[in-house]
Amino acid sequence: MSNGILVFAEHRAGAFNKTSFEAIAAAQQLGTSLQQPVTAVVLFTDDSLAREVAAYNVAKVISAENPSLAEYTPDAYTDAMEQVVRATDPQYVIMPHTYLVRDYAPKLSARFGKGVISDCIRANASGDRVTFSRRIFLGKIDADVVSDGEPPVFATFQSGAYRAEQAEKGSGAQIESMPVEVGEVRMQPEPAFQEVKQAVDLTKTDVIVAIGRGIKSQENIALAQGLADALGGDLAASRPICDAGWLPIDRQIGSSGQTVAPKLYVALGISGAIQHLVGMKNAGTIVAVNKDPEAPIFDIADYGIVGDLFEVVPVLTEEIKRLKG
Amino acid sequence: MKIIVLMKQVGNKDAILRINRDETWIEEGDLSFEVNESDGYALEEALRLREKHGGEVVVCSMGPQRVKSVIKDALARGADRAIHIAGDDLAHVGPFASATILAEAIHGEQPDLVLTGLQSDDYGFAQTGVILAELLKFPHATIVIEVDASGERLRVKRELESGWYQWYSMPTPALLTIQSGISQIRYATLKGIMAAKKKEIREVTPSAEALSGAAQHQRVTKIYFPLKTKQTQFLGNGDAKAGAAQLAEKLRTEARVI
C-alpha cells in the first residue's frame, strides 16, 4: 500500500535551488500531520550534495544515478523520477514550483494518468485527507483542492509558501543510491547563459517606483519617473511593461527579472501576480496604488490607495517635494 | 510545416471578480472574456513561423460557444482554419482530462508543431501543454522565448530563473509552451476579418472516455479571496488625492523613508 511522502530536491550547477528546502519543509509538515515518513530524492548528485539533503530530518535520501541525468532534460528526469516514484510508492510527491519542475513534473504525473496540483501555497491535513490551497486568477483568488484519485498525488509549492529555515535538521539520514534506466533523450541542451550584463542594478537602490499595466501608455511613464526623481529612486516595472518595450528588460522586477529588497517600493498600477511579488515582497515598506481593491498587491502592501494612479501620483510627487524641500 | 495553436478563453484580466454562491467558481454572468495572454503570443509565433517556412496554422480551442470569439479573432489575424471542441463545462475538467480531450481532437492532424501559452490566467495549472506532449509522445520545451525552425532540428530558447537562458534542440513533431512578450502581437486587419468569415471552423465534441478522468485528481472544494498576511493601511477612503497627501506624510513620519 502506498505510504510516505517523496520530496524532490532540485539542483543546478552544483547547488540546490533554495525552494528545494522550502519543499522539504512542506513535506516534513505534511509528514508530521499524516504520521508518514518523508523520503527525499536527488538526481545525479555528488556525495556532498546528497549529504546536504541528508542533514535534514528525513527518513532517507535516494540518489538516482544515471549518466544521462548529468544535465537536465525533461525526458531523462521524467524517466528517472518515474522509477523512483514506482519504487517508493508514496502517497504524495512534493516538489518546488520552479521553472525546471514546471518543465517535467506534468510529464511525470501524466505517466500516472493525472495532473499536478500545482503552485500550492498551503497544505492542511485533516485525518488522512489533505487539502491543498493554490492561487488562481493571477493571485486574486485562492482555491482549496482535494484529490479523489488513487495515490500518488503530485503537488508543487510556490516559492515562499514555506520558509527554508523551517525545514528541520536531523541526525544524518541514510543515503541510498538507486541506479535508474533512462530511455532516449530527445532534447539536447546547450550551456545556460545570461544575457549581456545588466546595465541597471536595481538590487542596490533604496527606493524603487515600479509601474504595471495600469500606466496604460508609454507617454505616461514620465509621470512615474517624476515620482521616482522626487523620491531619489529608480524606475522599474512588471513584466508586461518590458514585454511591450516601454522600458528595457533590465528594469523588470520578478521571477524572470531582478529580485530586489529596497527600503521603499512604490507599485503603481501593478496588480501583483506572483511572478512579480516574488521579486519584491521583501522590500521594507511597500506602497500600492491600484484601482482594483482586490488586487493581490494589497495583500503585501503596508500602505494602499485604492484609486486612479493618474490622480494619486501628481499629488504625491508634489507633497514629497514639499516635505523634502 | 503544420502548426496547431491551442488557445484558451479566460475572463478579462481587469475584471472585478465575484465568487459564485457555491463558492466553487467566479460569477461568469457579468464577466467579459478574452484570449489567454500567452496563447495570443503562441498564435503570433505560429504565424511568423508560417511566414518564414510556409505551411498551415490551425487554431484549437475548447469550451462553450462563446470561445468562437477567440477562434474568429485568431482566424482574422491569419490562422488558416480552426477546431472548436465544444462543451459547456470543459473549463473545469482539470489539466489531465483537458490534455486527453485535446489529444483526441488533434490526433488525426499530424502536426509538426503544437504551440500554446505557458499557463492560463484563470486556473494557472501551467501543465496542460506538457501533459499533451506526453500523450502525443512529442518532445517538448516550456517557457520558450525564441524559436528557430530553419535547421534539421528545432532550436528553442528557454527562459530559466533569475535572468538565465538556455537553448535546447529537439526533433519535430514537438510541443512548445510560449512565454508572453516573445514578440509584438499583430492586430486583425479589416481584410483579415472579412477573409476569416470563409475559413473553416470544425466543431467536435469529446468522447465520454476522454471526459472520464475529469476533475477527479484535483477537485476544487472552495474558492475565496486570499487572507491578508499584512495589515494594509488604506488611505484616502476613496479620495485618491487625499490619500496621496496622507501617504506622503506617513512615509515621512511612520515609515521614515523620506
Side-chain angles (χ1 to χ4, degrees), chain B residues 71-141:
Chain B
I71 290 174
K72 284 177 183 165
D73 181 58
L75 294 174
R77 283 170 206 257
D80 298 290
R81 60 186 171 89
I83 302 167
H84 174 199
I85 307 170
D88 284 345
D89 288 327
L90 294 181
H92 305 294
V93 298
F96 187 80
S98 287
T100 307
I101 293 164
L102 288 163
E104 183 179 79
I106 68 174
H107 176 72
E109 293 280 349
Q110 297 190 298
D112 299 296
L113 211 51
V114 178
L115 302 186
T116 189
L118 81 167
Q119 66 184 68
S120 64
D121 295 338
D122 53 5
Y123 271 113
F125 290 127
Q127 54 188 287
T128 306
V130 178
I131 296 172
L132 177 61
E134 175 67 11
L135 297 177
L136 295 171
K137 303 197 180 337
F138 287 6
H140 76 267

Coordinates of all heavy atoms in Angstrom, one line a residue, chain B residues 71-141:
Chain B
I71 N -11.7 32.1 -31.5 CA -11.3 31.4 -32.7 C -11.4 32.4 -33.9 O -10.5 32.5 -34.7 CB -12.3 30.2 -32.9 CG1 -11.9 29.1 -31.9 CG2 -12.2 29.7 -34.4 CD1 -12.8 27.9 -31.9
K72 N -12.5 33.1 -33.9 CA -12.7 34.1 -35.1 C -11.7 35.1 -35.1 O -11.2 35.5 -36.1 CB -14.1 34.7 -35.0 CG -15.2 33.7 -35.4 CD -16.6 34.3 -35.3 CE -17.6 33.3 -35.6 NZ -19.0 33.6 -35.2
D73 N -11.3 35.6 -33.9 CA -10.2 36.6 -33.8 C -8.9 36.0 -34.3 O -8.2 36.7 -35.1 CB -10.1 37.0 -32.3 CG -9.0 38.1 -32.2 OD1 -9.2 39.2 -32.9 OD2 -8.0 37.9 -31.5
A74 N -8.6 34.7 -34.0 CA -7.4 34.1 -34.4 C -7.4 33.9 -36.0 O -6.4 34.1 -36.6 CB -7.2 32.8 -33.7
L75 N -8.6 33.6 -36.5 CA -8.7 33.4 -37.9 C -8.5 34.8 -38.6 O -7.9 34.9 -39.7 CB -10.0 32.8 -38.3 CG -10.3 31.4 -37.8 CD1 -11.7 30.9 -38.1 CD2 -9.3 30.4 -38.5
A76 N -9.0 35.8 -38.0 CA -8.9 37.2 -38.6 C -7.4 37.6 -38.6 O -7.0 38.4 -39.4 CB -9.8 38.2 -37.8
R77 N -6.7 37.2 -37.6 CA -5.3 37.5 -37.5 C -4.4 36.8 -38.5 O -3.3 37.1 -38.7 CB -4.7 37.3 -36.1 CG -5.1 38.4 -35.1 CD -4.7 37.9 -33.7 NE -5.6 38.6 -32.7 CZ -5.3 39.6 -32.0 NH1 -4.1 40.1 -32.1 NH2 -6.1 40.2 -31.1
G78 N -5.0 35.7 -39.0 CA -4.3 35.0 -40.1 C -4.2 33.5 -40.0 O -3.6 32.8 -40.8
A79 N -4.8 32.9 -38.9 CA -4.8 31.4 -38.8 C -5.6 30.9 -40.0 O -6.5 31.6 -40.5 CB -5.4 30.9 -37.5
D80 N -5.3 29.7 -40.5 CA -6.0 29.2 -41.7 C -7.3 28.5 -41.5 O -8.2 28.6 -42.2 CB -5.0 28.1 -42.4 CG -3.7 28.8 -42.8 OD1 -3.8 29.6 -43.8 OD2 -2.7 28.6 -42.2
R81 N -7.4 27.8 -40.4 CA -8.7 27.1 -40.0 C -8.7 26.8 -38.6 O -7.7 27.0 -37.9 CB -8.9 25.9 -40.9 CG -7.9 24.8 -40.8 CD -8.2 23.7 -41.8 NE -7.0 22.8 -41.8 CZ -6.9 21.7 -40.9 NH1 -7.9 21.4 -40.0 NH2 -5.9 20.9 -41.0
A82 N -9.8 26.3 -38.1 CA -9.9 26.1 -36.6 C -10.6 24.8 -36.2 O -11.4 24.3 -37.0 CB -10.6 27.3 -36.0
I83 N -10.3 24.3 -35.0 CA -11.1 23.2 -34.4 C -11.7 23.7 -33.1 O -11.0 24.3 -32.3 CB -10.2 22.0 -34.1 CG1 -9.5 21.5 -35.4 CG2 -10.9 20.9 -33.5 CD1 -8.3 20.6 -35.2
H84 N -13.0 23.6 -33.0 CA -13.6 24.0 -31.8 C -14.1 22.8 -31.0 O -15.0 22.0 -31.5 CB -14.8 25.0 -32.1 CG -15.6 25.3 -30.8 ND1 -16.9 25.8 -30.9 CD2 -15.3 25.2 -29.5 CE1 -17.3 26.0 -29.6 NE2 -16.4 25.7 -28.8
I85 N -13.5 22.5 -29.9 CA -14.0 21.4 -29.1 C -15.1 21.9 -28.2 O -14.8 22.7 -27.2 CB -12.9 20.8 -28.2 CG1 -11.7 20.4 -29.1 CG2 -13.3 19.5 -27.5 CD1 -10.4 20.0 -28.3
A86 N -16.3 21.6 -28.5 CA -17.5 22.2 -27.9 C -17.9 21.5 -26.6 O -18.0 20.2 -26.6 CB -18.6 22.4 -28.9
G87 N -18.3 22.2 -25.6 CA -18.8 21.6 -24.4 C -18.9 22.7 -23.3 O -18.0 23.5 -23.2
D88 N -19.9 22.6 -22.5 CA -20.2 23.7 -21.6 C -19.2 23.7 -20.4 O -18.9 24.8 -19.8 CB -21.6 23.7 -21.1 CG -22.5 24.3 -22.2 OD1 -22.0 24.9 -23.1 OD2 -23.8 24.0 -22.1
D89 N -18.9 22.6 -19.9 CA -18.1 22.5 -18.6 C -16.6 22.2 -18.8 O -15.9 21.9 -17.9 CB -18.7 21.5 -17.7 CG -20.0 21.9 -17.1 OD1 -20.1 23.2 -16.9 OD2 -20.9 21.1 -16.9
L90 N -16.2 22.4 -20.0 CA -14.8 21.9 -20.3 C -13.7 22.8 -19.6 O -12.6 22.3 -19.5 CB -14.5 21.9 -21.9 CG -15.4 20.9 -22.6 CD1 -15.1 21.0 -24.1 CD2 -15.1 19.5 -22.1
A91 N -14.1 23.9 -19.1 CA -13.1 24.8 -18.4 C -12.7 24.1 -17.1 O -11.7 24.5 -16.5 CB -13.7 26.2 -18.2
H92 N -13.5 23.2 -16.6 CA -13.3 22.8 -15.2 C -12.9 21.3 -15.1 O -13.0 20.7 -14.1 CB -14.6 23.0 -14.4 CG -15.1 24.4 -14.5 ND1 -14.4 25.4 -13.9 CD2 -16.2 25.0 -15.0 CE1 -15.0 26.6 -14.1 NE2 -16.1 26.3 -14.8
V93 N -12.4 20.7 -16.2 CA -12.2 19.3 -16.2 C -10.8 18.9 -15.7 O -10.5 17.7 -15.5 CB -12.3 18.6 -17.6 CG1 -13.8 18.8 -18.1 CG2 -11.4 19.2 -18.6
G94 N -9.9 19.9 -15.4 CA -8.6 19.6 -14.9 C -7.6 19.4 -16.0 O -8.0 19.1 -17.1
P95 N -6.3 19.5 -15.7 CA -5.3 19.5 -16.8 C -5.2 18.2 -17.5 O -5.0 18.2 -18.7 CB -4.0 19.9 -16.1 CG -4.3 19.8 -14.6 CD -5.8 19.9 -14.4
F96 N -5.2 17.1 -16.8 CA -5.0 15.8 -17.5 C -6.2 15.5 -18.4 O -6.0 15.1 -19.6 CB -4.9 14.6 -16.5 CG -4.5 13.3 -17.2 CD1 -3.2 13.1 -17.5 CD2 -5.4 12.4 -17.5 CE1 -2.8 11.9 -18.2 CE2 -5.1 11.2 -18.1 CZ -3.8 11.0 -18.5
A97 N -7.4 15.7 -18.0 CA -8.6 15.5 -18.9 C -8.5 16.5 -20.0 O -8.8 16.1 -21.2 CB -9.9 15.6 -18.1
S98 N -8.1 17.7 -19.8 CA -8.0 18.7 -20.9 C -7.1 18.2 -21.9 O -7.4 18.3 -23.1 CB -7.5 20.0 -20.4 OG -8.4 20.7 -19.6
A99 N -5.9 17.7 -21.5 CA -4.9 17.3 -22.4 C -5.4 16.0 -23.2 O -5.1 15.9 -24.4 CB -3.6 17.0 -21.7
T100 N -6.1 15.2 -22.5 CA -6.7 14.0 -23.1 C -7.7 14.4 -24.2 O -7.6 13.8 -25.3 CB -7.4 13.1 -22.1 OG1 -6.5 12.8 -21.0 CG2 -7.8 11.7 -22.7
I101 N -8.5 15.3 -23.9 CA -9.5 15.8 -24.9 C -8.8 16.5 -26.1 O -9.2 16.2 -27.2 CB -10.5 16.8 -24.2 CG1 -11.3 16.0 -23.1 CG2 -11.4 17.5 -25.2 CD1 -12.0 16.9 -22.1
L102 N -7.8 17.3 -25.8 CA -7.1 17.9 -26.9 C -6.4 16.9 -27.8 O -6.4 17.0 -29.0 CB -6.1 18.9 -26.3 CG -6.7 20.2 -25.7 CD1 -5.6 20.9 -24.8 CD2 -7.1 21.2 -26.7
A103 N -5.8 15.9 -27.1 CA -5.0 14.9 -27.9 C -6.0 14.2 -28.8 O -5.6 14.0 -30.0 CB -4.4 13.9 -26.9
E104 N -7.1 13.9 -28.3 CA -8.1 13.2 -29.2 C -8.5 14.1 -30.4 O -8.7 13.6 -31.5 CB -9.4 12.9 -28.3 CG -10.5 12.1 -28.9 CD -11.6 11.9 -27.9 OE1 -12.4 12.9 -27.7 OE2 -11.7 10.8 -27.3
A105 N -8.7 15.4 -30.1 CA -9.2 16.2 -31.2 C -8.2 16.5 -32.2 O -8.5 16.7 -33.4 CB -9.7 17.6 -30.6
I106 N -6.9 16.6 -31.9 CA -5.9 16.9 -32.9 C -5.1 15.7 -33.4 O -4.3 15.8 -34.3 CB -4.9 18.0 -32.3 CG1 -4.0 17.4 -31.2 CG2 -5.7 19.2 -31.9 CD1 -3.0 18.4 -30.7
H107 N -5.4 14.5 -32.9 CA -4.7 13.3 -33.2 C -4.6 13.1 -34.7 O -3.5 12.9 -35.2 CB -5.4 12.1 -32.6 CG -4.8 10.8 -33.0 ND1 -3.6 10.4 -32.4 CD2 -5.2 9.8 -33.8 CE1 -3.3 9.2 -33.0 NE2 -4.2 8.9 -33.8
G108 N -5.7 13.3 -35.4 CA -5.6 13.0 -36.9 C -4.9 14.1 -37.7 O -4.7 13.9 -38.9
E109 N -4.6 15.2 -37.1 CA -4.0 16.3 -37.8 C -2.5 16.1 -38.2 O -2.0 16.7 -39.1 CB -4.1 17.6 -37.0 CG -5.6 18.1 -36.9 CD -6.1 18.8 -38.1 OE1 -5.3 19.1 -39.0 OE2 -7.3 19.0 -38.2
Q110 N -1.8 15.3 -37.4 CA -0.4 15.1 -37.6 C 0.4 16.3 -37.7 O 1.0 16.6 -38.8 CB -0.2 14.1 -38.7 CG -0.8 12.7 -38.5 CD -0.4 11.7 -39.5 OE1 -0.7 11.9 -40.7 NE2 0.3 10.7 -39.0
P111 N 0.4 17.2 -36.7 CA 1.1 18.5 -36.8 C 2.6 18.3 -36.7 O 3.1 17.3 -36.2 CB 0.6 19.3 -35.6 CG 0.2 18.2 -34.6 CD -0.3 17.0 -35.4
D112 N 3.4 19.3 -37.2 CA 4.8 19.3 -37.0 C 5.1 19.9 -35.7 O 6.1 19.7 -35.0 CB 5.5 20.0 -38.1 CG 5.3 19.4 -39.5 OD1 5.7 18.3 -39.6 OD2 4.6 20.0 -40.3
L113 N 4.2 20.9 -35.3 CA 4.5 21.7 -34.1 C 3.1 22.0 -33.4 O 2.1 22.2 -34.1 CB 5.1 23.0 -34.6 CG 6.1 23.7 -33.6 CD1 7.2 22.8 -33.1 CD2 6.7 24.9 -34.4
V114 N 3.1 21.9 -32.1 CA 2.0 22.3 -31.3 C 2.5 23.4 -30.4 O 3.4 23.3 -29.7 CB 1.3 21.2 -30.5 CG1 0.1 21.7 -29.7 CG2 0.9 20.0 -31.4
L115 N 1.8 24.6 -30.5 CA 2.2 25.7 -29.6 C 1.0 26.1 -28.7 O -0.1 26.1 -29.1 CB 2.6 27.0 -30.5 CG 3.7 26.9 -31.5 CD1 4.0 28.3 -32.1 CD2 4.9 26.3 -30.9
T116 N 1.4 26.5 -27.5 CA 0.4 27.0 -26.6 C 1.0 28.0 -25.6 O 2.3 28.1 -25.6 CB -0.4 25.9 -25.9 OG1 -1.5 26.5 -25.2 CG2 0.5 25.1 -24.9
G117 N 0.2 28.7 -24.9 CA 0.8 29.6 -23.9 C 1.4 28.8 -22.7 O 1.0 27.6 -22.5
L118 N 2.2 29.4 -21.9 CA 2.8 28.7 -20.8 C 1.9 28.4 -19.6 O 2.1 27.4 -18.9 CB 4.1 29.4 -20.3 CG 3.9 30.6 -19.3 CD1 5.3 30.9 -18.7 CD2 3.3 31.8 -19.9
Q119 N 0.9 29.2 -19.5 CA -0.1 28.9 -18.4 C -1.4 29.7 -18.7 O -1.3 30.7 -19.4 CB 0.4 29.1 -17.0 CG 0.7 30.5 -16.7 CD 1.3 30.6 -15.3 OE1 2.4 30.2 -15.1 NE2 0.5 31.2 -14.4
S120 N -2.5 29.3 -18.1 CA -3.7 30.1 -18.3 C -3.8 31.1 -17.1 O -3.3 30.9 -16.0 CB -4.9 29.2 -18.3 OG -5.1 28.6 -17.0
D121 N -4.5 32.2 -17.4 CA -4.6 33.3 -16.5 C -5.8 33.0 -15.5 O -6.0 33.8 -14.6 CB -4.9 34.6 -17.2 CG -3.7 35.0 -18.0 OD1 -2.6 34.6 -17.7 OD2 -3.9 35.8 -19.0
D122 N -6.5 31.9 -15.7 CA -7.6 31.6 -14.7 C -7.1 30.5 -13.7 O -6.7 30.8 -12.6 CB -9.0 31.4 -15.3 CG -8.9 30.3 -16.4 OD1 -7.9 29.6 -16.6 OD2 -10.0 30.1 -17.1
Y123 N -7.1 29.3 -14.2 CA -6.7 28.2 -13.3 C -5.2 28.2 -13.0 O -4.7 27.7 -12.0 CB -7.2 26.8 -13.8 CG -8.5 26.4 -13.3 CD1 -9.6 26.3 -14.2 CD2 -8.8 26.1 -12.0 CE1 -10.8 25.9 -13.8 CE2 -10.0 25.7 -11.6 CZ -11.1 25.6 -12.5 OH -12.3 25.1 -12.0
G124 N -4.4 28.6 -14.0 CA -3.0 28.7 -13.8 C -2.3 27.4 -13.6 O -1.3 27.3 -12.8
F125 N -2.8 26.3 -14.2 CA -2.2 25.0 -13.9 C -0.8 24.9 -14.5 O 0.0 24.2 -13.9 CB -3.1 23.8 -14.6 CG -4.4 23.6 -13.9 CD1 -5.5 23.6 -14.7 CD2 -4.5 23.4 -12.5 CE1 -6.8 23.4 -14.1 CE2 -5.7 23.1 -12.0 CZ -6.9 23.1 -12.7
A126 N -0.6 25.5 -15.6 CA 0.8 25.5 -16.2 C 1.3 24.1 -16.5 O 2.4 23.8 -16.3 CB 1.8 26.2 -15.3
Q127 N 0.4 23.3 -17.1 CA 0.8 21.9 -17.3 C 0.1 21.2 -18.5 O 0.5 20.1 -18.9 CB 0.7 21.0 -16.1 CG -0.7 21.1 -15.5 CD -0.8 20.4 -14.1 OE1 -0.8 19.2 -14.1 NE2 -0.9 21.2 -13.1
T128 N -1.0 21.8 -18.9 CA -1.8 21.1 -20.0 C -1.0 20.8 -21.2 O -1.0 19.7 -21.7 CB -3.0 21.9 -20.3 OG1 -3.8 22.2 -19.1 CG2 -4.0 21.1 -21.3
G129 N -0.1 21.7 -21.6 CA 0.7 21.5 -22.8 C 1.7 20.4 -22.6 O 1.9 19.5 -23.5
V130 N 2.3 20.3 -21.4 CA 3.3 19.3 -21.2 C 2.7 17.9 -21.1 O 3.2 16.9 -21.7 CB 4.1 19.6 -19.9 CG1 5.1 18.5 -19.6 CG2 4.8 20.9 -20.0
I131 N 1.5 17.8 -20.5 CA 0.8 16.5 -20.4 C 0.4 16.1 -21.9 O 0.6 14.9 -22.2 CB -0.4 16.6 -19.5 CG1 0.0 16.9 -18.1 CG2 -1.2 15.3 -19.6 CD1 -1.2 17.2 -17.1
L132 N 0.0 17.1 -22.6 CA -0.4 16.8 -24.0 C 0.8 16.2 -24.8 O 0.7 15.2 -25.6 CB -1.0 18.0 -24.7 CG -1.4 17.9 -26.2 CD1 -2.4 16.8 -26.4 CD2 -1.8 19.2 -26.7
A133 N 1.9 16.8 -24.6 CA 3.2 16.4 -25.3 C 3.4 14.9 -24.9 O 3.7 14.1 -25.8 CB 4.4 17.2 -24.9
E134 N 3.3 14.6 -23.7 CA 3.5 13.2 -23.2 C 2.5 12.2 -23.9 O 2.8 11.1 -24.3 CB 3.4 13.1 -21.7 CG 3.5 11.7 -21.1 CD 4.9 11.0 -21.3 OE1 5.8 11.7 -21.7 OE2 5.0 9.8 -21.0
L135 N 1.2 12.7 -23.9 CA 0.2 11.8 -24.5 C 0.4 11.6 -26.0 O 0.2 10.6 -26.6 CB -1.2 12.4 -24.3 CG -1.7 12.5 -22.8 CD1 -3.0 13.2 -22.8 CD2 -1.7 11.2 -22.2
L136 N 0.9 12.7 -26.7 CA 1.2 12.6 -28.1 C 2.6 12.0 -28.4 O 2.9 11.8 -29.6 CB 1.1 14.0 -28.8 CG -0.2 14.7 -28.8 CD1 0.0 16.2 -29.3 CD2 -1.2 14.0 -29.7
K137 N 3.3 11.7 -27.3 CA 4.7 11.2 -27.4 C 5.6 12.2 -28.2 O 6.5 11.8 -28.9 CB 4.8 9.8 -28.1 CG 3.9 8.8 -27.4 CD 4.3 7.4 -27.8 CE 3.5 6.3 -27.1 NZ 2.9 6.6 -25.8
F138 N 5.4 13.5 -28.0 CA 6.2 14.5 -28.6 C 7.2 15.0 -27.6 O 6.9 15.1 -26.4 CB 5.4 15.8 -29.0 CG 4.5 15.6 -30.2 CD1 4.3 14.4 -30.8 CD2 3.8 16.7 -30.6 CE1 3.5 14.3 -31.9 CE2 2.9 16.6 -31.7 CZ 2.8 15.4 -32.4
P139 N 8.5 15.4 -28.0 CA 9.3 16.1 -27.1 C 8.7 17.5 -26.9 O 7.9 18.0 -27.7 CB 10.7 16.2 -27.8 CG 10.3 16.1 -29.3 CD 9.1 15.2 -29.3
H140 N 9.1 18.2 -25.8 CA 8.5 19.5 -25.5 C 9.6 20.4 -24.9 O 10.6 20.0 -24.4 CB 7.3 19.4 -24.6 CG 7.7 19.1 -23.1 ND1 7.9 17.9 -22.6 CD2 8.1 20.0 -22.2 CE1 8.3 18.0 -21.3 NE2 8.4 19.3 -21.1
A141 N 9.2 21.7 -24.9 CA 10.0 22.7 -24.1 C 9.0 23.7 -23.6 O 8.1 24.0 -24.3 CB 11.1 23.3 -25.0

